Amino acid sequence: MTTKSAAAASVATAYGYPRQGRGRELKKAIEGYWKGSVTAEVLLATAADLRRGNWQQLADSGVEEVPTGDFSFYDHVLDTTVAVGAIPPRHRDAVEADPLDGYFAMARGNQDVAPLEMTKWFDTNYHYLVPELGPDTVFTANPAKAVGELREALLLGHAARPVLVGPVTYLLLAKPAPGVAADFQPITLLDRLLPVYAELLAGLRAAGADWVQLDEPALVQDRTPAELNAAARAYRELGALTDRPKLLVASYFDRLGDALPVLAKAPIEGLALDFTGPAAANLEDLAAAGGLPGKRLVAGVIDGRNIWINDLEKSLTTLATLLGLADTVDVAPSCSLLHVPIDATLERDIDPQIARWLAFAKQKAAEAALLARGLREGTGAIAADLAANRADLASRAGSPITRDPAVRARIAAVTDADARRAQAYPQRAEAQRARLGLPLLPTTTIGSFPQTTELRVARADLTAGRIDGATYRERMEAEVREVIAYQEKAGLDVLVHGEPERNDMVQYFAEQLTGYLATRHGWVQSYGTRYVRPPVLAGDTSRPHPMTVDWFRYAQGLTDRPVKGMLTGPVTMLAWSFVRDDQPLADTARQVALALRDEVVDLEAGGAAVVQVDEPALRETLPLRAAARPAYLDWATEAFRLATSGVRADTQIHTHMCYAEFGAIMTAIDDLDADVIHTFLRGIVLVIRKIRAPRDAGCGCHVIAASVAEGDWPPGIPRRLGR
Ligand code: MET
Ligand SMILES: [Zn+2]
């Protein structure tokens, strides 16, 4: 095909759409079903309505080919586990008794069985349920969901493309089942799994699928030659099948690297590549691999996991280059739109000028459609849209929100010394021993005490104007009194105030820093029915007023023991927000760090001898490719030190991390130069073994973060704690 005919055939597509519905109907229906107030029939009908609505929104936005099978009652990796019949033995009875209840038993456990483990989906804030496999795993094809949802879309008249997690990624995301040797490698099951995928593909073909998308994001991570061989074998075998739809293998979140030539050579009909952020390197890699002659390329030129408008002209330039590298070039957001909220036009509280900088799922779909139209009909056909886009980008670049001269001047004046404590750890430790007089093995907690219903009701009452600020404060102070008394009675050495006033460990600060916006409807799925509404860091940021000092002083006034000042670190502030994409993350991190530094210094001046700066997300935003990690860890640790180095030697800086496997970042944890590191047991053993400089490290049982309402606790927790 020529470049011109390739352009003439371009369409827009997407790999997935937010599942919950505009009014979070899915969450309500599922939770109602769990409680028994919603029947299975109503739940299924709600789900079908939502799918119909999603396809319609995509079609209305101009997307010509819609995804199916991306919908999920809980998680798409769990759906794949069901599709390949890899139900763990402990869940089989429940699944046999009732497939829907069995599905939820795998997701959340029930009174008899523990759920599957949940972990982060690559470097996003979405969590998937980890498949449990072993040498005895038998796979069987269960195409019902994939086929059923395809049929629904086809019946509604959509051009539809089923999406499944690909076999290589599925196995690479799995872990050895309980009782199976820890060194068992699920990828060794590939030969057993491929025939099951063959059956699924045949089933989809029979139901009318022209194309099927197999998602292989695990191939954007560093992979061993054996794993790359597995990918080559998988797609050689699936490609060789005769009874199958055309295959589109999708990658996202980073560049394919060594896997690109492997997939380019495979006997598949299409490849989807991410061209945003670090994945933009796919462009050169693709050219170097000789392009995709005779194949379909789906170009993810729109950032599918951030919320900012696309630079359409820049995308058109990328697409123009790509047209020479494949048979057809289609346009899409870089990954499933599940990672962004549904519709930016619902945000009526955001200044209309700023709202024009935002693109949520619906807007991103429209951007993809517009770009595809630009390819088909020429840029003249979309000239007015391009002009409007240019104007919006210019308004963003020139806005006082994105450029605060005071913040910029302060950043420019930062020196290396600002990010270093004046004394080394040994001297600081001595000064802190003298000031704090703590026992040999001091005890403390992570920070938050349970966010009880009364506390949340008080906050809701304050927001709704049913109580005034003074009443709210009195209720929170009563809680602080209780929490302090409790810790004194328990004999803890370093106390916390319990964080009752915090709605969330990021949002609480975002609401008080400049440059942040809050959305009303910007919900995104974290896991299952838990949705979060990340704040939006739109511009330059600073801290106009102390944020926590009064709470600290109140708590410290109640006890002779040291109370910790409690803050969220710069990396976590970024990781759990939607962050501006118009400057490097490192620059944004430095701004947040300076804002936090002011707070740390004010806490010290207010009498805090210990300040804890939590960085639970340090590990989670580690780049997927090892080559990019040193640069990330450099700016991330510098930001932490910048936030915490403004204090005297005798002020003790703690940090707290959780959830993570720290192996990969031990040196970085040391580079934080905190006086005390706390984490859970597995982490602490590593800290003690591997860290270069001696530190005070502590471990504990991380119960639950303040931000999580009781009803939203991860499955199993209340039961295991015995509440
Ligand atoms: C996710 S880490 C949470 C740390 C915070 N200080 C808390 O206890 O909630
Ligand atoms: Zn934690």
Side-chain angles (χ1 to χ4, degrees), residues 446 505 576 612 614 616 656-659 678 702-705:
I446 284 161
M505 66 181 286
W576 296 350
Q612 177 173 318
D614 295 325
H656 158 79
M657 274 163 240
C658 48
Y659 306 137
H678 22 127
H702 185 206
V703 180
I704 198 86

Side-chain angles (χ1 to χ4, degrees), residues 232-461:
R233 206 167 75 245
Y235 288 100
R236 200 165 53 234
E237 290 201 12
L238 294 179
L241 298 169
T242 45
D243 182 18
R244 65 163 177 89
K246 287 179 245 171
L247 296 179
L248 172 71
V249 176
S251 64
Y252 39 82
F253 299 149
D254 210 326
R255 55 196 281 247
L256 264 180
D258 293 339
L260 197 150
V262 171
L263 292 176
K265 272 187 246 132
I268 53 173
E269 288 69 29
L271 195 56
L273 297 176
D274 185 341
F275 292 99
T276 67
N282 271 326
L283 186 60
E284 278 166 43
D285 295 352
L286 185 62
L292 298 173
K295 290 192 166 125
R296 172 186 191 185
L297 170 66
V298 178
V301 289
I302 294 157
D303 188 344
R305 44 192 292 200
N306 212 333
I307 51 155
W308 307 100
I309 49 170
N310 185 253
D311 183 335
L312 296 174
E313 276 165 358
K314 203 169 143 219
S315 292
L316 282 169
T317 308
T318 305
L319 290 167
T321 312
L322 293 173
L323 280 174
L325 291 172
D327 201 40
T328 56
V329 177
D330 296 328
V331 187
S334 61
C335 59
S336 168
L337 293 168
L338 129 87
H339 306 292
V340 292
I342 297 182
D343 185 355
T345 64
L346 300 177
E347 299 303 331
R348 306 240 164 71
D349 296 347
I350 295 180
D351 174 338
Q353 179 66 51
I354 299 173
R356 296 193 56 89
W357 309 342
L358 301 178
F360 294 178
K362 192 154 184 261
Q363 288 72 39
K364 285 177 189 291
E367 289 178 338
L370 193 71
L371 289 168
R373 197 171 139 225
L375 291 185
R376 280 196 309 271
E377 300 172 19
T379 51
I382 58 167
D385 299 281
L386 292 180
N389 178 249
R390 229 179 357 253
D392 291 338
L393 292 170
S395 107
R396 186 176 170 203
S399 161
I401 292 163
T402 57
R403 298 277 176 283
D404 177 338
V407 172
R408 304 239 148 201
R410 197 171 167 208
I411 291 285
V414 167
T415 64
D416 284 352
D418 291 334
R420 298 260 162 228
R421 302 282 296 266
Q423 282 86 6
Y425 173 73
Q427 286 90 61
R428 301 193 316 250
E430 212 180 296
Q432 290 159 20
R433 261 194 300 278
R435 178 172 177 193
L436 287 159
L438 295 172
L440 190 58
L441 284 176
T443 51
T444 187
T445 66
I446 284 161
S448 59
F449 273 63
Q451 189 69 219
T452 61
T453 306
E454 297 82 75
L455 294 173
R456 301 180 77 86
V457 166
R459 190 148 38 249
D461 285 348

